[in-house]
Amino acid sequence: MELLTQDEYTSIAAGLDLPTGAFIDGGYRPAISGQTFATVNPATGAKLTDIAACGAADVDFAVEKAREAFDDGRWSKLHPSERKDVLIRLCKLMTRNARELAVMESIDSGKTIYDCETVDVPETIHCLKWHAEAIDKIYDQVSPASDDHIAMVVREPIGVVGLVLPWNFPLLMLTWKIGPALAAGCSVVVKPAAETTLTALRLAELAKEAGVPRGVLNIVPGGGTEVGEPIGRHMDIDMVSFTGSTVTGKRFLTYSAESNAKEVVLEMGGKNPAIVMDDAENLDRVAAHIVNGAFWNMGENCSASSRLIVHKDVKAELLERIAHHAKQWNIGEPLNPETRMGALVSEGHFTKVCGYLEQAENVVIGGTAKDGFVEATVVEVPGNDAVLAREEIFGPVLSVIEVSGFDEAIKIANDTEYGLCASIFTANVKRAIRGARAIRAGTVTVNSFGEGDITTPFGGYKQSGFGGRDNSVHAHDQYTQLKTIWIDLADDADEAVD
């Protein structure tokens, strides 16, 4: 994609018609209370607009309309190919409006326009299209029953779904969830993060234009206490999918237990290890992967490589190469296409990350933070018990831990409450496979940083995940119920009693 100049992006931003209301039952509307909250550009601190501050009453109304839509079958009972056609039309509309979405995403989140244009928006469209194309290609089953019976195992949409989103990838995480949910035939009530609401509201408007029926896709903006908890506790929501912090994710298990025992799927935090062994090939390439994994999206990424576990024999050379690559990750105005690292999402989050930087005793690279921006930072820590090695910082901070061998590296990698992603760099194929099997994480990459792609399931072990996976055909399972239909074919005469 050909990028524009900073002035051109700034001009587009100035001309955006920003949505302000909740999107419920096919249209924008104010919060029932009439209250609003300000959404700001984290790179400048300037207010962008005021958005409807919804509450429990708005959640009730959205769920009521979602239930009506689900029960009358305007979406849930459409032929799969018809649902696919609607979602494909939505993808086309998003493609036509891709630049507008990218700019809106950047100014609302602090993300760089480079990432929004080249990664986030294209991947968002690809994700939705992939799930749309899968709608009429996922088959039900017939079990191997006896000659006198047919047992069908069928999938049915689970019903009304609550989707609670994070702020780090607003558009992409929205489609990670609405893609399979809408494909399955569910109606959804979405709570975007309060920090990043704009693109979810805009996408809902495009969905209406594409033909998604009213009541099927509802966006309810607001805070966690005001909107998130009412979604988690709602007696008429059948399932909740949440992406965010582990602390908040656990609350949804409580909400479910104390309400209607709704299904809960959680994708939570990570403290992801990148293991570099002494036989790793091409340390310059390794360093590029490490830097990308640690600093992409300002480190505001649950799968970020936040712990570098490196063999002592290659540590010095690797850190030298990491320093070289880190210089290319400049911070600056997010709408400048040459900027690689934008602003952290909010003043509160910036303060949190700065608190961790204050605890760093041996800063190798970077360490400067000012006015919402934090430069790429590498910190050596004395061991895996250090706070910077154990807690999820969610900022551009890489903690370095030295090891002497393979077994020690694997032990340290697994010594965490998280288990989302991991990487291992080694030229020994057997060691790579043994390491990948031994690391308790949902995704393990070998000689690279990554998360897989839309075809592979994404989620974690331990306190990184619960109940299901995003992406791939496996994501469709969590938005459906399995039903067995047992048909007796025996001739009545065969069962006659003498």
Side-chain angles (χ1 to χ4, degrees):
M1 173 177 287
E2 184 177 350
L3 299 177
L4 304 180
T5 66
Q6 180 177 337
D7 287 344
E8 288 172 318
Y9 284 121
T10 301
S11 177
I12 292 172
L16 290 175
D17 183 14
L18 301 177
T20 60
F23 193 93
I24 301 175
D25 198 30
Y28 291 121
R29 61 185 68 235
I32 291 173
S33 68
Q35 295 181 347
T36 62
F37 67 92
T39 186
V40 303
N41 182 334
T44 64
K47 185 173 80 169
L48 296 171
T49 190
D50 292 307
I51 294 177
C54 294
D58 301 280
V59 173
D60 288 342
F61 180 60
V63 173
E64 176 187 343
K65 294 305 178 182
R67 178 59 65 187
E68 288 177 6
F70 182 78
D71 287 348
D72 69 22
R74 68 187 75 162
W75 181 255
S76 60
K77 295 178 183 177
L78 278 183
H79 190 279
S81 65
E82 293 182 82
R83 293 201 300 272
K84 178 178 74 172
D85 289 344
V86 171
L87 294 182
I88 293 297
R89 284 199 295 273
L90 175 55
C91 291
K92 291 179 180 179
L93 286 171
M94 293 172 67
T95 300
R96 293 174 199 163
N97 293 274
R99 182 146 280 157
E100 172 199 354
L101 290 170
V103 173
M104 193 178 292
E105 189 91 322
S106 178
I107 64 174
D108 199 26
S109 67
K111 296 167 71 75
T112 66
I113 191 63
Y114 178 86
D115 281 349
C116 292
E117 282 262 48
T118 64
V119 180
D120 290 45
V121 173
E123 283 297 311
T124 293
I125 297 168
H126 175 63
C127 171
L128 188 61
K129 184 178 180 181
W130 193 91
H131 285 296
E133 292 285 5
I135 290 175
D136 55 2
K137 300 173 183 65
I138 299 177
Y139 288 77
D140 294 329
Q141 299 169 313
V142 176
S143 79
S146 72
D147 286 343
D148 290 333
H149 303 89
I150 289 179
M152 297 185 295
V153 181
V154 301
R155 294 179 179 86
E156 296 181 348
I158 199 168
V160 175
V161 173
L163 304 174
V164 182
L165 308 180
W167 45 253
N168 57 337
F169 292 92
L171 264 178
L172 188 56
M173 293 301 99
L174 174 64
T175 52
W176 272 25
K177 296 186 185 301
I178 67 169
L182 294 179
C186 298
S187 295
V188 301
V189 177
V190 179
K191 181 210 169 301
E195 296 87 346
T196 52
T197 301
L198 294 177
T199 49
L201 292 171
R202 178 66 178 120
L203 186 141
E205 187 177 28
L206 294 175
K208 177 184 179 181
E209 185 179 346
V212 174
R214 61 182 179 81
V216 172
L217 174 58
N218 306 279
I219 312 294
V220 186
T225 301
E226 296 79 12
V227 176
E229 183 172 347
I231 286 176
R233 293 187 180 277
H234 206 285
M235 295 297 292
D236 203 25
I237 288 180
D238 302 295
M239 178 262 184
V240 166
S241 179
F242 166 86
T243 295
S245 73
T246 298
V247 171
T248 303
K250 288 179 179 179
R251 292 176 187 156
F252 281 90
L253 299 177
T254 299
Y255 301 156
S256 173
E258 293 178 351
S259 57
N260 61 340
K262 58 178 63 66
E263 300 277 348
V264 176
V265 173
L266 306 174
E267 196 273 283
M268 301 181 287
K271 193 67 178 175
N272 310 292
I275 297 174
V276 180
M277 296 310 303
D278 54 339
D279 63 348
E281 296 179 324
N282 192 344
L283 286 182
D284 191 65
R285 183 174 181 274
V286 172
H289 276 288
I290 297 295
V291 167
N292 182 54
F295 305 136
W296 173 47
N297 200 47
M298 296 75 72
E300 296 173 332
N301 183 7
C302 57
S303 62
S305 298
S306 52
R307 287 187 297 157
L308 172 58
I309 303 171
V310 57
H311 194 281
K312 62 180 182 179
D313 291 348
V314 296
K315 186 182 78 171
E317 183 179 357
L318 180 62
L319 288 179
E320 181 180 340
R321 294 172 184 266
I322 285 175
H324 170 74
H325 284 280
K327 291 178 182 178
Q328 302 172 29
W329 288 73
N330 62 312
I331 57 175
E333 164 57 50
L335 289 181
N336 182 342
E338 296 182 0
T339 297
R340 295 303 305 276
M341 293 175 59
L344 299 193
V345 72
S346 67
E347 182 179 350
H349 186 60
F350 172 74
T351 300
K352 173 189 171 184
V353 173
C354 288
Y356 282 108
L357 289 178
E358 291 171 359
Q359 300 182 57
E361 298 180 358
N362 187 3
V363 177
V364 179
I365 300 166
T368 301
K370 184 179 180 181
D371 298 332
F373 294 83
V374 178
E375 68 176 331
T377 299
V378 178
V379 179
E380 283 200 65
V381 296
N384 200 48
D385 292 333
V387 170
L388 295 182
R390 302 207 70 81
E391 296 185 10
E392 185 179 36
I393 300 171
F394 226 63
V397 182
L398 175 65
S399 299
V400 181
I401 304 168
E402 179 183 302
V403 295
S404 300
F406 176 74
D407 291 339
E408 182 186 4
I410 297 297
K411 182 179 179 180
I412 289 176
N414 283 331
D415 182 19
T416 174
E417 65 188 40
Y418 300 110
L420 187 58
C421 295
S423 302
I424 182 167
F425 295 84
T426 175
N428 187 313
V429 175
K430 291 182 179 179
R431 176 183 280 176
I433 295 174
R434 282 172 45 221
R437 287 181 171 178
I439 295 171
R440 292 182 53 77
T443 299
V444 181
T445 57
V446 176
N447 293 327
S448 67
F449 162 77
E451 301 172 347
D453 64 15
I454 188 62
T455 68
T456 57
F458 181 82
Y461 288 30
K462 298 185 278 188
Q463 295 190 52
S464 287
F466 178 91
R469 291 289 190 266
D470 289 315
N471 290 347
S472 81
V473 294
H474 298 280
H476 290 245
D477 293 341
Q478 61 200 25
Y479 299 104
T480 61
Q481 290 279 24
L482 287 181
K483 175 181 285 185
T484 296
I485 300 176
W486 185 270
I487 303 172
D488 191 334
L489 301 178
D491 192 315
D492 291 344
D494 295 337
E495 296 184 351
V497 179
D498 293 331

